[in-house]
Amino acid sequence: MNEQDIIISHIKEYVANYSKYDVKNYPYINDNSNGSNSPWGEPEVAFASAKDEKFQDLKKIVGPHHLLPKDFLEDAKTVITYFIPFDKQIVKSNVRTPEAIEPSNLWYQLTNDTNNLINDLNDSLIKKIQELGGEGTSFPPSSPKFEKENLTSDWSIRHVAHIAGLGTFGLNNMLITDKGCCGRFGSIVTNLAIEPSNKENKQVENCLYKYNGTCKKCVIKCPNDSFYYKDDSYFCDAEKCYNQILEKNKKDACGKCMSGVPCSFINPVSNLRKD
């Protein structure tokens, strides 16, 4: 196997075999496609060249504080990104109803467990990279920070994953992959020169609203009316979204705008492109 295949295999096997969570917290999970009785599905993995000019663009799109791959490693060559999808039953438990506008206990539990999984996976992935003769890091010398003034991170993993070709942004600012948007993203910067993913046809809009003006389900699902209409389009108010997550819910979780919508588990535009 080449280095790209080795990394992909390592990520998928690690997630499939991860056991540092309490199974009793997830009594309704399905048998996932990877054959394990796990609250996670099989990850999607993509690679980008650390010299991709789109990383520099993030200093305009996100903010001048956004880091570049070389801020992680001076000789950075590749950015590895991955998406870990949530089990469908757990996502369904989080669908908004008039009685349920806060995140379900299952969703909140899985969000925390997935954060732990990503931290452990990145540690394991760095060791694998070292076995291959390289170095890797998931954090720069000064750890990533969240800018409260403009509600942005100095390393936006979703934007990084978009550059690598994992998906495109939906109306709700979630990145829609081929396996939907319900899940979490991780990234590693390495000085291994790994072939970038083939992004051909990967940058076409995956959001139904952006593709053909339909859907808008995420607008309805938001419990805090975080969407507004301007210049013939909808936008997500980041401040209202942030307020819902940390002030109203009192939890670092919500997910209502991505639960029970066409892009929860799939790229809903892919079938339309086949017509």
Side-chain angles (χ1 to χ4, degrees):
M1 290 194 296
N2 59 33
E3 291 175 336
Q4 188 182 96
D5 290 336
I6 291 172
I7 295 297
I8 292 173
S9 177
H10 183 83
I11 291 173
K12 290 183 176 181
E13 289 179 8
Y14 193 93
V15 173
N17 296 315
Y18 191 72
S19 59
K20 294 181 182 179
Y21 63 95
D22 192 339
V23 178
K24 291 183 292 185
N25 289 331
Y26 306 104
Y28 307 114
I29 57 177
N30 298 323
D31 287 332
N32 285 313
S33 58
N34 58 12
S36 66
N37 193 27
S38 165
W40 298 284
E42 186 177 70
E44 292 278 292
V45 186
F47 305 82
S49 167
K51 294 183 179 180
D52 193 315
E53 293 179 357
K54 291 182 179 178
F55 285 112
Q56 187 67 46
D57 292 342
L58 295 185
K59 288 189 173 292
K60 296 180 181 178
I61 297 171
V62 179
H65 57 284
H66 198 279
L67 301 173
L68 300 174
K70 66 179 182 180
D71 295 319
F72 287 69
L73 286 173
E74 188 174 348
D75 59 343
K77 293 182 175 65
T78 305
V79 179
I80 304 167
T81 66
Y82 56 86
F83 172 69
I84 304 176
F86 289 174
D87 176 81
K88 291 183 178 180
Q89 291 300 108
I90 294 173
V91 174
K92 290 176 181 177
S93 77
N94 195 51
V95 173
R96 179 186 174 183
T97 66
E99 299 80 21
I101 61 173
E102 295 185 352
S104 70
N105 290 333
L106 282 171
W107 180 276
Y108 180 61
Q109 181 68 49
L110 186 59
T111 298
N112 290 323
D113 283 343
T114 308
N115 290 340
N116 294 332
L117 163 59
I118 289 173
N119 288 334
D120 292 342
L121 170 55
N122 282 351
D123 288 343
S124 175
L125 196 51
I126 289 170
K127 291 179 181 178
K128 176 57 67 175
I129 289 170
Q130 290 171 342
E131 290 176 10
L132 295 172
E135 293 296 329
T137 178
S138 56
F139 296 105
S142 58
S143 297
K145 299 180 179 64
F146 182 77
E147 297 283 343
K148 289 187 177 181
E149 290 184 2
N150 52 26
L151 302 178
T152 59
S153 169
D154 59 6
W155 184 250
S156 173
I157 297 180
R158 278 177 290 175
H159 281 86
V160 170
H162 168 70
I163 291 173
L166 271 182
T168 68
F169 285 94
L171 183 58
N172 57 1
N173 288 338
M174 297 297 106
L175 196 69
I176 303 172
T177 74
D178 286 342
K179 293 186 177 180
C181 60
C182 289
R184 303 285 275 186
F185 292 88
S187 69
I188 289 283
V189 177
T190 177
N191 58 5
L192 287 178
I194 302 176
E195 184 73 20
S197 300
N198 182 1
K199 295 188 285 186
E200 186 177 357
N201 296 326
K202 289 285 188 179
Q203 302 301 322
V204 179
E205 295 293 354
N206 296 344
C207 170
L208 285 171
Y209 180 79
K210 292 184 177 183
Y211 183 72
N212 61 13
T214 64
C215 190
K216 302 192 294 289
K217 294 282 182 68
C218 56
V219 176
I220 301 170
K221 297 283 185 178
C222 178
N224 201 34
D225 297 324
S226 298
F227 293 86
Y228 62 94
Y229 192 74
K230 181 181 179 182
D231 298 331
D232 298 324
S233 187
Y234 283 92
F235 299 90
C236 181
D237 186 321
E239 186 172 355
K240 277 193 171 184
C241 180
Y242 182 74
N243 176 267
Q244 170 65 22
I245 293 173
L246 292 186
E247 293 188 22
K248 288 193 174 183
N249 286 346
K250 303 299 183 183
K251 298 176 180 178
D252 187 13
C254 181
K256 294 299 182 182
C257 68
M258 63 177 110
S259 301
V261 296
C263 59
S264 291
F265 310 121
I266 62 171
N267 169 6
V269 176
S270 58
N271 289 332
L272 298 180
R273 294 185 194 135
K274 296 176 183 176
D275 295 339

